[in-house]
Amino acid sequence: MFRKLLLFFISVLVTISILFTIVEQVSENVLQETLQSTSLKQLKYSLQEMEQTLKQLEVLTVLLSNDSSIKSYGNSKDFSPYLNSLLLRKIIEEKLLTQSYANIVQSNISIYWPRLDEVLSSLNHSPKKVYNKEQWSTLPKFKWFISRENGFELRYILVAPYLIVPELKSVNYTIETSLTVNFLKNVLRSVEAAGNGSSFFYNPSFEPIYADKLNESVFQKVKDLYATGRFSNGELNHQTITIDNESYLLQAVSSTSLDWSLVQYIPLDDYLKPLNLTKKISRASLIFLILIGSFMYLILYRNIKRPITYLVRKLEALGSGKYESRVHLRVNNEFDYLFDRFNDMASRIQILIEDVYEEKLRSKEAIYKQLQSQINPHFLYNCLFYIVSMAKKNPDAVTAMAQNLAYYYRFITKNNSYEIPLSEELKLITSYLSVQTLRNPNLHYHIDVEELLKQALIPPLILQPIVENSVVHGIDNKLGSGIITIKGATLEGVHYIVVEDDGYGLTPTQMQNLSSQLENKYRDNEIGCGLWNIHQRMQHRYDHTSGLTFEVSTLGGLKVTLSWKCIEGKVQD
């Protein structure tokens, strides 16, 4: 449950983190898009205002070119008295001055008559300073351009009459409207007054025009972008650049009246400060949430998860048979009461299990003693029956059997134990087979048991009935037989003793029935006492995997295998 709770908590935190990241990214994108849109609109609006101003000045210049007094002044000295010429000049000067002040921006209007080589200006400039006859023909006509003659100056020249390729000798007069560079700087200040970064006018052939200050790094980046063709017709939309770990939004709009671009650069970090502050607050909130969640999980783990896990381990230990298992943990909450009840329950279960276990051991021991006491009379009966049957036929066999019987009971009486070394059992078998060879000279036997296995402790008379069955029911019932082999070894922690003969043997069906009858808790009258007693004693003494198994022997008779698990300490000292 707590693992699921932890996974749920982690999934919630991950989801919140992803949502925070998405919201932050969307907010940043929206803010940048809004900034791009508004700044570009402001940039275009300011440039449009400048274009309209220049268009108005163009219109006023054209209207002025159609003034009759200006047209007639060029010929006034040829046809009019000199006094009238001076009066006409005065009228033109007043018109120029009036129109100059009437314009929406302060401008200088100059009229030049090439034939008279005379200039009238609203600012009374010297003719030689205003016009350079050698450069005049190279200057652009009927369009605005920026000249370096008197510093940066914005100029518009109109020629009358209109000529596609005007020559100075063919021109009656020219009218020029000029603006100082302050006009462009005021345009830049109006852009910057909107609060959208800084701006400057850029033309690759000139130095940049800026209002108050210029970021040289940004200007150099603009030059590089222009050189690499990133400007499209002098315009650039939404270009983000990074200089000295600072990001700038770069935009440029081309002027239709001038061959210049109005470039604006906005430091994004300044505009994203509120959003960055929001990001920091969001991340701090997320970290705080993680800390609070971790603290709550730690409290739940300490006061609920750990006690439950500890109690489950104790329950598992109790279920696995460790009845002495007790709870010693104290958490100073309701679990202490549960732990006390568990300890009481475990104590009662331990007492009950110990009583039942002791009773079971006593019952098992009683059954084992009963089986052991059952085999002793059986062995005695067989020996006495053999003595009676051989009394007249072979007195030596009777003597040997009596000695064998006396040796066995003297050993049992002396040790008074329910287990004897396998070596003693093998001595008894050797004596028994020696006696049988006196009765049957064709009987031959071979015993091959590992020395270490001979030290293992086994119940008395555990092999003798098997060997006796091989002689009586196997070899005696088949003419020409007489071979018995006894082998013993330990493999993978299990002791094996195999008894084989070349006697009559059993069919597979008989072996299967015999194996089934051995598993019965109570002996069937159809089966002899010896084999059933051996099998039951082995299972009571060791476990259900111990006992007898039957196979067809390679010698032709029956192969009986006695097996039991190797138990540490079950060897002769």
Side-chain angles (χ1 to χ4, degrees):
M1 182 185 72
F2 278 86
R3 183 175 298 176
K4 293 180 180 179
L5 181 62
L6 178 61
L7 292 176
F8 174 75
F9 177 69
I10 293 175
S11 63
V12 169
L13 290 179
V14 171
T15 303
I16 293 176
S17 301
I18 293 174
L19 290 177
F20 275 2
T21 303
I22 293 175
V23 170
E24 290 173 359
Q25 189 62 43
V26 170
S27 300
E28 184 174 345
N29 292 338
V30 170
L31 184 59
Q32 288 193 15
E33 290 175 0
T34 303
L35 179 61
Q36 291 170 0
S37 176
T38 55
S39 61
L40 185 60
K41 288 180 180 179
Q42 178 63 32
L43 200 64
K44 290 182 177 180
Y45 174 78
S46 299
L47 192 62
Q48 186 178 6
E49 289 289 317
M50 184 193 77
E51 299 283 353
Q52 289 179 355
T53 301
L54 295 179
K55 291 293 183 183
Q56 290 177 3
L57 291 177
E58 289 180 24
V59 171
L60 293 176
T61 304
V62 172
L63 292 176
L64 190 61
S65 67
N66 294 321
D67 188 271
S68 58
S69 58
I70 295 175
K71 290 181 179 180
S72 60
Y73 182 76
N75 300 319
S76 62
K77 293 185 179 181
D78 295 336
F79 304 102
S80 301
Y82 181 70
L83 184 60
N84 292 336
S85 177
L86 292 177
L87 181 60
L88 190 59
R89 177 189 176 100
K90 186 65 176 178
I91 293 173
I92 294 174
E93 287 178 348
E94 290 178 355
K95 286 184 178 182
L96 293 178
L97 185 61
T98 301
Q99 184 164 330
S100 175
Y101 284 113
N103 288 340
I104 57 177
V105 293
Q106 186 177 3
S107 60
N108 178 31
I109 304 174
S110 302
I111 304 175
Y112 174 55
W113 289 269
R115 291 175 57 192
L116 302 177
D117 194 20
E118 186 176 349
V119 175
L120 292 180
S121 174
S122 60
L123 298 180
N124 296 320
H125 283 172
S126 171
K128 292 183 179 180
K129 289 184 179 181
V130 174
Y131 285 101
N132 186 329
K133 294 180 180 180
E134 295 179 357
Q135 295 180 355
W136 184 88
S137 59
T138 62
L139 296 176
K141 311 298 187 299
F142 306 106
K143 63 179 295 186
W144 290 95
F145 65 94
I146 294 178
S147 172
R148 290 197 185 100
E149 289 185 12
N150 299 314
F152 277 109
E153 190 176 33
L154 190 60
R155 301 169 65 183
Y156 179 83
I157 299 176
L158 183 145
V159 178
Y162 176 79
L163 298 173
I164 297 177
V165 184
E167 295 182 1
L168 193 58
K169 62 182 181 179
S170 304
V171 174
N172 292 335
Y173 57 90
T174 66
I175 301 177
E176 177 182 341
T177 301
S178 61
L179 299 169
T180 64
V181 73
N182 289 330
F183 169 72
L184 297 178
K185 289 185 177 182
N186 289 333
V187 173
L188 296 175
R189 290 190 181 97
S190 67
V191 174
E192 296 175 0
N196 294 330
S198 303
S199 56
F200 60 91
F201 282 99
Y202 175 71
N203 186 297
S205 302
F206 295 85
E207 293 296 322
I209 299 174
Y210 54 91
D212 298 312
K213 59 181 179 178
L214 177 66
N215 189 318
E216 293 294 337
S217 299
V218 175
F219 172 66
Q220 187 61 41
K221 186 67 175 180
V222 170
K223 289 178 63 177
D224 296 339
L225 291 174
Y226 197 96
T228 55
R230 298 297 294 274
F231 278 77
S232 177
N233 297 324
E235 296 192 357
L236 183 69
N237 292 334
H238 312 326
Q239 178 74 38
T240 302
I241 61 175
T242 302
I243 300 174
D244 298 332
N245 296 324
E246 292 187 12
S247 298
Y248 294 89
L249 175 63
L250 194 63
Q251 300 184 116
V253 180
S254 178
S255 172
T256 57
S257 300
L258 300 172
D259 292 332
W260 287 64
S261 297
L262 178 56
V263 181
Q264 182 185 48
Y265 58 96
I266 303 172
L268 290 177
D269 294 340
D270 294 341
Y271 285 89
L272 295 179
K273 277 184 180 179
L275 181 61
N276 292 332
L277 179 61
T278 304
K279 286 183 180 180
K280 291 180 181 179
I281 294 175
S282 300
R283 291 169 184 171
S285 301
L286 182 61
I287 293 174
F288 179 74
L289 182 62
I290 292 174
L291 293 177
I292 291 296
S294 302
F295 179 72
M296 293 300 298
Y297 181 80
L298 182 62
I299 292 177
L300 291 175
Y301 176 82
R302 183 181 180 87
N303 293 280
I304 298 178
K305 176 66 167 61
R306 189 167 66 118
I308 290 178
T309 304
Y310 183 77
L311 183 60
V312 168
R313 286 202 302 267
K314 292 299 181 179
L315 286 171
E316 291 175 349
L318 188 65
S320 64
K322 297 180 180 179
Y323 303 110
E324 71 281 359
S325 178
R326 298 292 184 274
V327 175
H328 303 290
L329 180 66
R330 283 293 176 266
V331 291
N332 299 323
N333 56 27
E334 290 78 3
F335 277 98
D336 290 343
Y337 175 80
L338 185 61
F339 292 161
D340 293 338
R341 301 288 74 75
F342 172 83
N343 290 337
D344 293 342
M345 179 191 69
S347 298
R348 294 178 183 179
I349 291 176
Q350 184 179 9
I351 294 173
L352 180 61
I353 292 297
E354 288 176 352
D355 292 343
V356 172
Y357 183 70
E358 290 178 0
E359 183 65 27
K360 185 177 180 180
L361 288 179
R362 286 194 292 269
S363 175
K364 187 175 182 180
E365 188 70 19
I367 294 174
Y368 179 77
K369 289 180 179 180
Q370 179 188 5
L371 293 171
Q372 187 66 37
S373 63
Q374 187 181 40
I375 196 65
N376 288 331
H378 176 76
F379 173 70
L380 177 61
Y381 168 77
N382 287 342
C383 290
L384 293 176
F385 182 80
Y386 178 81
I387 291 173
V388 171
S389 63
M390 297 298 294
K392 295 181 180 181
K393 297 179 181 179
N394 193 339
D396 293 336
V398 172
T399 303
M401 179 60 73
Q403 291 176 348
N404 181 37
L405 184 61
Y407 167 78
Y408 170 74
Y409 277 102
R410 183 173 65 251
F411 178 81
I412 292 298
T413 304
K414 181 179 179 181
N415 285 276
N416 193 23
S417 173
Y418 292 103
E419 288 182 324
I420 63 173
L422 178 60
S423 57
E424 296 297 331
E425 182 80 5
L426 292 176
K427 288 180 182 179
L428 177 63
I429 292 173
T430 302
S431 299
Y432 174 79
L433 291 175
S434 298
V435 172
Q436 292 296 329
T437 56
L438 296 176
R439 182 180 63 84
N440 184 3
N442 294 326
L443 179 64
H444 301 281
Y445 62 90
H446 175 70
I447 300 176
D448 182 16
V449 178
E450 293 178 353
E451 291 298 325
L452 187 61
L453 180 57
K454 290 180 180 180
Q455 301 176 15
L457 297 178
I458 61 172
L461 294 177
I462 206 71
L463 287 179
Q464 192 276 339
I466 301 175
V467 175
E468 183 179 350
N469 279 349
S470 296
V471 174
V472 176
H473 300 291
I475 294 175
D476 288 350
N477 291 334
K478 184 179 179 181
L479 295 176
S481 61
I483 299 176
I484 294 178
T485 63
I486 302 173
K487 297 180 181 180
T490 302
L491 299 174
E492 298 180 355
V494 180
H495 298 313
Y496 295 95
I497 296 179
V498 180
V499 179
E500 295 186 72
D501 62 68
D502 62 347
Y504 186 75
L506 296 175
T507 64
T509 302
Q510 290 174 329
M511 285 188 288
Q512 184 177 0
N513 292 335
L514 180 59
S515 298
S516 300
Q517 292 172 356
L518 292 180
E519 297 296 334
N520 294 333
K521 297 299 180 182
Y522 301 98
R523 184 173 66 87
D524 195 336
N525 292 328
E526 296 180 0
I527 185 174
C529 175
L531 295 180
W532 178 84
N533 186 281
I534 293 171
H535 188 77
Q536 292 296 321
R537 277 194 294 160
M538 293 300 290
Q539 290 202 338
H540 278 81
R541 198 63 177 174
Y542 300 100
D543 57 19
H544 67 281
T545 61
S546 304
L548 298 174
T549 57
F550 304 98
E551 300 176 60
V552 176
S553 174
T554 56
L555 299 177
L558 183 65
K559 176 181 178 181
V560 181
T561 302
L562 176 67
S563 63
W564 71 98
K565 284 187 177 180
C566 178
I567 301 176
E568 187 177 355
K570 287 284 186 177
V571 294
Q572 184 182 17
D573 295 334

